[in-house]
Amino acid sequence: MQKEEAIKIYKSFASMKDVALLIILVFIATYILISALNNNSEDGIFIYVAMWLTALPAGIAYIAHDILKSVNKLDEIVNEDLDDKKYLEIIYCIIDYGKNHKQKNNLQRTFYLIMQERYAMALIINGKRKEAEEYINSGEIKHEPYRMFLRACIDLDRAYAQGDAEKYIKIYKAAPKSYKEVKLHACRALLMQGKYDEAIEGLMKYTPKNKREEILRRFTIGEAHLRKGSKDEAKIYLEYVINNGKTLREKFMAEELYKEL
């Protein structure tokens, strides 16, 4: 994906305002037609209300699906192509453009809000914790649940890098439920508590949703084996990450752990 295509996705949500207006006009016209054919009878009104109650949720679902589809397309850069640097570059492009061009409707604002969360995460996975923290503290992200989630990510990432297990567990226990519900996060917490076998068992049963999750899963399994002294098993998993991690930082972290074998 190129920057131009990313900007095009962002711009596409502005035109959905016209689609919403068209839907409203169609329903008004339908109401007038039904009323005329049924002489304003209760049956005509009932038919119209039934149509509205059916079509409105369908329309909302369609729009939500469109937003999710666009977000997933962008996420593929890191989740499937495993290019975290390009991901940061593309997301920043959208953030920069959106910051200088006022959002035209709620759909575009919603998409931009999601991109703000993705931008902070892109900074974190690229090892730019300080920049991510500054962005979150700047007040740019208005949605508090996003800020809480991202702060937990930053604090846990820092504690992990420092090798401070006690601090890591303390932060993890206070982290938002949405963070702890992620299986990979829960298993990393088990590893940090020294519960290596539990972490390995949980990850072996887990089915990754994409290539990046597979890299993260294998990296954590490899680290757990290394920490418990099973160097032969650790070697298998760490070599996979090194050979398939492309530009992900887990590849370089695996290379450092590999030196301990």
Side-chain angles (χ1 to χ4, degrees):
M1 177 181 289
Q2 301 302 317
K3 293 180 181 179
E4 294 76 14
E5 186 179 355
I7 295 299
K8 186 177 180 181
I9 290 175
Y10 174 79
K11 287 181 176 179
S12 68
F13 289 99
S15 62
M16 287 189 179
K17 185 176 182 180
D18 300 328
V19 174
L21 179 60
L22 179 61
I23 292 173
I24 292 173
L25 291 175
V26 168
F27 271 97
I28 290 175
T30 304
Y31 175 72
I32 294 172
L33 178 60
I34 291 175
S35 296
L37 293 175
N38 291 274
N39 295 317
N40 292 314
S41 69
E42 291 183 1
D43 288 342
I45 295 175
F46 175 78
I47 294 171
Y48 172 75
V49 171
M51 288 177 61
W52 179 264
L53 293 175
T54 302
L56 186 59
I60 293 173
Y62 173 79
I63 292 171
H65 175 266
D66 204 50
I67 292 176
L68 183 60
K69 183 179 179 182
S70 297
V71 172
N72 287 340
K73 187 173 183 180
L74 291 164
D75 285 349
E76 282 182 2
I77 299 171
V78 67
N79 289 337
E80 297 298 338
D81 299 338
L82 305 180
D83 194 336
D84 50 2
K85 292 179 176 58
K86 184 178 180 182
Y87 184 63
L88 175 58
E89 180 183 313
I90 294 296
I91 299 299
Y92 173 75
C93 178
I94 294 175
I95 291 296
D96 187 54
Y97 184 87
K99 189 175 182 179
N100 295 294
H101 295 79
K102 186 178 179 180
Q103 288 85 50
K104 295 185 177 181
N105 55 45
N106 287 331
L107 297 174
Q108 202 171 49
R109 279 189 285 274
T110 298
F111 180 71
Y112 184 70
L113 177 62
I114 295 172
M115 289 299 99
Q116 287 181 310
E117 184 266 344
R118 291 299 198 272
Y119 175 57
M121 282 303 303
L123 287 170
I124 295 169
I125 65 177
N126 274 275
K128 300 178 182 291
R129 286 194 301 270
K130 184 178 179 180
E131 290 92 330
E133 203 161 20
E134 289 174 351
Y135 183 67
I136 296 167
N137 293 334
S138 69
E140 289 287 334
I141 302 176
K142 307 299 182 184
H143 194 50
E144 180 59 24
Y146 279 176
R147 290 198 297 269
M148 291 175 63
F149 183 92
L150 291 166
R151 286 195 186 101
C153 290
I154 291 173
D155 292 341
L156 288 165
D157 190 65
R158 183 182 290 113
Y160 173 77
Q162 295 171 344
D164 192 333
E166 184 178 348
K167 184 179 180 181
Y168 188 98
I169 298 306
K170 182 178 180 181
I171 297 169
Y172 178 79
K173 288 181 178 179
K177 183 179 178 181
S178 57
Y179 184 92
K180 291 185 282 190
E181 286 178 342
V182 178
K183 187 68 174 180
L184 291 171
H185 296 167
C187 289
R188 170 59 61 84
L190 288 171
L191 181 149
M192 294 299 288
Q193 294 177 73
K195 299 178 180 179
Y196 306 126
D197 290 329
E198 288 183 46
I200 292 170
E201 183 181 359
L203 290 166
M204 292 298 290
K205 293 178 180 179
Y206 179 70
T207 302
K209 298 181 180 67
N210 50 58
K211 292 180 181 178
R212 181 170 180 267
E213 282 201 353
E214 178 64 10
I215 293 295
L216 297 178
R217 185 182 78 92
R218 288 180 182 256
F219 173 79
T220 306
I221 292 175
E223 184 180 7
H225 275 301
L226 180 63
R227 298 305 176 215
K228 67 177 287 191
S230 304
K231 292 187 176 183
D232 290 339
E233 288 83 354
K235 182 178 180 181
I236 296 171
Y237 289 97
L238 293 177
E239 283 183 347
Y240 179 92
V241 176
I242 293 169
N243 294 329
N244 297 279
K246 294 188 178 180
T247 67
L248 295 182
R249 65 172 178 166
E250 282 72 23
K251 172 184 177 177
F252 306 106
M253 292 163 68
E255 289 175 341
E256 290 302 311
L257 291 178
Y258 199 79
K259 295 175 183 178
E260 299 181 28
L261 296 175

